[in-house]
Amino acid sequence: MRSLLRAAEHSSNRSETGDHVLNPDLPPYARWEGPPREAAVLIGIVERSEGPSVVLTQRTGHLKSHAGQVAFPGGKIDPTDNGPVEAALREADEEIGLSPRQVEPLGNLAPYLTGSGYRVVPVVGAIHDVTAFRPNPDEVDDVFEVPLGFLMNPANHQKLSREWQGKRRYFYAMPFGERYIWGVTAGIIRSFYETVYR
């Protein structure tokens, strides 16, 4: 965990990353006009007896955007938030019942720019004293964990593509059992890997 702290402390100085890295012919905010929307997510790491794991959510199927997808706890940075760390911790509390007191922030990754217009700051944090998560049914269907070793193994990082507006668009996917991790969430995981393990 200390190595993650050292890497995360210096990673915010790295240049922004995002969907456009795999798609250099597309602008960073390919499907959005106007200024980017500021957001933050929590890459929460739990130390388990079998090794560290990362907390992820399965979003509910009725949401307006990204319904049913795998995501990190997180969301928009509100004007009342004192930066991305506070926003990520507030959202994790609202979405999965994780108290900010249980999270030790370790640092931020470089911002991740999404085609839908978000500038997302991934906040890395160590989660302590967890008994059970309490998913908010309005936003989260399920909370689950994936071994950090699985996510940080590049052999599990599939580079896939789909056609979008007549062009081939590339993205990462990391299937784990019945969970299909892809898109922005997989892109942030890849950024984490490139920051800490490469």
Side-chain angles (χ1 to χ4, degrees), residues 39-42 57 59 71-76 87-88 91-92 95 139:
V41 297
L42 177 65
T57 71
R59 292 166 60 84
F72 291 108
K76 291 181 184 177
E91 287 282 349
E95 291 182 5
E139 300 184 63

Side-chain angles (χ1 to χ4, degrees), residues 94-170:
E94 293 174 5
E95 291 182 5
I96 64 173
L98 176 64
S99 169
R101 295 188 302 274
Q102 295 174 282
V103 183
E104 175 191 356
L106 301 178
N108 303 344
L109 300 183
Y112 189 96
L113 313 184
T114 76
S116 55
Y118 286 95
R119 182 179 182 271
V120 183
V121 176
V123 176
V124 182
I127 299 176
H128 304 293
D129 304 321
V130 173
T131 52
F133 297 107
R134 299 186 311 279
N136 178 345
D138 291 333
E139 300 184 63
V140 175
D141 265 346
D142 194 17
V143 183
F144 63 98
E145 297 177 29
V146 178
L148 181 64
F150 175 90
L151 297 176
M152 295 299 104
N153 183 346
N156 298 322
H157 299 179
Q158 300 177 6
K159 185 179 176 182
L160 305 178
S161 67
R162 290 180 181 171
E163 192 165 308
W164 181 72
Q165 293 190 345
K167 293 184 178 181
R168 183 62 56 181
R169 184 182 177 200
Y170 294 90

Side-chain angles (χ1 to χ4, degrees), residues 34-50:
R37 297 172 284 184
E38 301 293 329
V41 297
L42 177 65
I43 304 178
I45 302 173
V46 184
E47 193 66 55
R48 300 296 189 191
S49 58
E50 61 273 21

